[in-house]
Amino acid sequence: MTMHAVELPELWMPHPLRVNRHLPDLRAESETWAREMGMVSDGRQTSGHAIWTRSQFRAMTVDQLTAWTLPDAAPADLRLNHRFNIWALAWDDYFASAFKRTGDMQGAREFTLRLHAFLRPEEGARSPEPVNAVERGLADLQQQLFPPRLAHWRRDFNRALAQYIDAGVEELANSRAGRVPHLIDYAPFRRESFAAHTAPYSVELSTGARIPERIRSSRTIRGLLAAFMDVMGLANDIASYDREVHEEHDVNNLVVVLATSLGIPLGDAVPAAVRLVNSRLRDFEQLRRDELPLLVRRCGLRHEERAELETWTGGACSFLSGLHAWYTGAPRYVSPDGPPGRRYRAGAGTCPPVPASVAGPGGGPQP
């Protein structure tokens, strides 16, 4: 199949972009941690095992990504999530450069196996001595990501990271064999390969709110989280199509998956991909606005539980709008000289309040 560059169509986003007021402070320290981990070189060329030059790092605007997705986070929480975002992009770019572009399957497996040794669910577990920037970053994060209020995340977060790094090997195997994933299997796989299962942690980190435990395993919440994660990863496929397909020769992309699974030209697969992403966002909205109030009433959630749920879902809306802004405006995906249609346009809507059946007259939850 011949791949041709495609223009990024508009993706629907009903929630306005909100920016964390601590973004200027984040910018001031943006490179510090990445340089300490050895991810960023000091010169114009990457040296040794550095992943980016200083100009490449600054062009990614990871500080904007963090401040856009977590507009309500306190400074310390914002910095912590910022470091995680940097690490995830470092792993992605390093893996693509070292293994995807070279086809080095054995090296990819060995690299991934070593990373698993840093993902220890036991608090205080000893890790190997890191030997590269990705390992140093992961080892450092393991000491920071799980303060007492987030200790319950240690096992699930590390499981999500294990899925994330394992998915890289599976993507490489698919690309080497020319094996395009089937559409039915792709969305669940993309949640893993995008590390989307870590996103609820980021929302909780930012808002300080948790999904109430007694509804967490309900069909409504599981559907809400699945739609939330699908919007993230599948929209990224559209934004990163050119880079993944043309530079990395990757077949693990929604546009390619749709074209192959449905037997349609790539030109038709692009709007089909946009419709699919927009459909998943509509699913998220319908569950959030219509199904959650029913669940709240059926389970008889207490006042404080309703407040937590309202705060968390508001944070999830902000997270999606921030990602949308970054996908459609950041230099990582959009050339500064590109057509205006590829710039971010703020959504016309807002993140609506919880319906009256859940929220009180003043917008707050009622018992």
Side-chain angles (χ1 to χ4, degrees), residues 3-255:
M3 307 296 180
H4 298 287
V6 295
E7 289 300 320
L8 175 64
E10 271 198 51
L11 294 165
W12 178 54
M13 178 46 60
H15 309 300
L17 176 66
R18 297 170 55 228
V19 183
N20 193 295
R21 63 189 180 92
H22 300 294
L23 173 58
D25 298 328
L26 199 63
R27 282 178 175 150
E29 60 138 42
S30 183
E31 296 175 36
T32 304
W33 184 77
R35 190 179 296 113
E36 289 175 352
M37 297 300 107
M39 298 171 183
V40 178
S41 67
D42 291 327
R44 295 184 177 180
Q45 302 294 324
T46 53
S47 57
H49 297 289
I51 298 168
W52 304 296
T53 64
R54 182 180 299 170
S55 60
Q56 287 171 334
F57 179 81
R58 291 177 176 175
M60 290 192 300
T61 60
V62 191
D63 52 345
Q64 288 183 345
L65 166 66
T66 309
W68 289 351
T69 53
L70 307 182
D72 300 311
D77 296 331
L78 193 70
R79 285 193 297 271
L80 178 56
N81 206 85
H82 183 234
R83 292 178 180 184
F84 173 69
N85 287 338
I86 292 171
W87 179 85
L89 289 168
W91 175 89
D92 188 43
D93 285 358
Y94 181 85
F95 194 91
S97 176
F99 308 116
K100 284 187 175 180
R101 292 192 177 104
T102 63
D104 181 5
M105 178 62 75
Q106 182 61 32
R109 288 185 176 132
E110 293 173 357
F111 174 69
T112 299
L113 183 62
R114 275 192 55 86
L115 286 180
H116 271 277
F118 293 88
L119 301 175
R120 304 294 296 275
E122 307 87 5
E123 185 177 1
R126 296 188 62 180
S127 298
E129 187 68 26
V131 298
N132 57 54
V134 176
E135 291 183 358
R136 276 191 294 276
L138 185 55
D140 189 72
L141 282 172
Q142 288 291 304
Q143 305 301 315
Q144 305 177 49
L145 285 167
F146 313 111
R149 67 186 175 92
L150 293 168
H152 58 281
W153 264 103
R154 180 180 294 274
R155 186 173 297 276
D156 287 345
F157 192 92
N158 281 337
R159 182 186 297 117
L161 286 188
Q163 293 171 338
Y164 177 53
I165 62 179
D166 285 346
V169 176
E170 186 170 345
E171 286 182 337
L172 177 56
N174 287 341
S175 295
R176 286 189 57 178
R179 181 176 59 245
V180 180
H182 193 279
L183 179 59
I184 293 176
D185 304 318
Y186 187 65
F189 174 67
R190 191 67 180 111
R191 295 170 204 160
E192 297 180 356
S193 67
F194 188 71
H197 290 279
T198 67
Y201 161 94
S202 297
V203 174
E204 188 173 326
L205 177 73
S206 173
T207 62
R210 298 175 62 178
I211 297 174
E213 193 63 37
R214 56 179 165 145
I215 64 170
R216 185 178 295 275
S217 61
S218 66
R219 180 189 59 82
T220 298
I221 293 297
R222 286 187 283 111
L224 183 83
L225 290 175
F228 175 60
M229 292 187 286
D230 285 348
V231 172
M232 287 184 267
L234 298 180
N236 179 270
D237 277 2
I238 299 171
S240 59
Y241 172 89
D242 287 347
R243 180 171 59 87
E244 290 182 352
V245 173
H246 295 291
E247 296 179 22
E248 300 174 6
H249 308 293
D250 200 338
V251 300
N252 305 277
N253 183 282
L254 179 62
V255 176

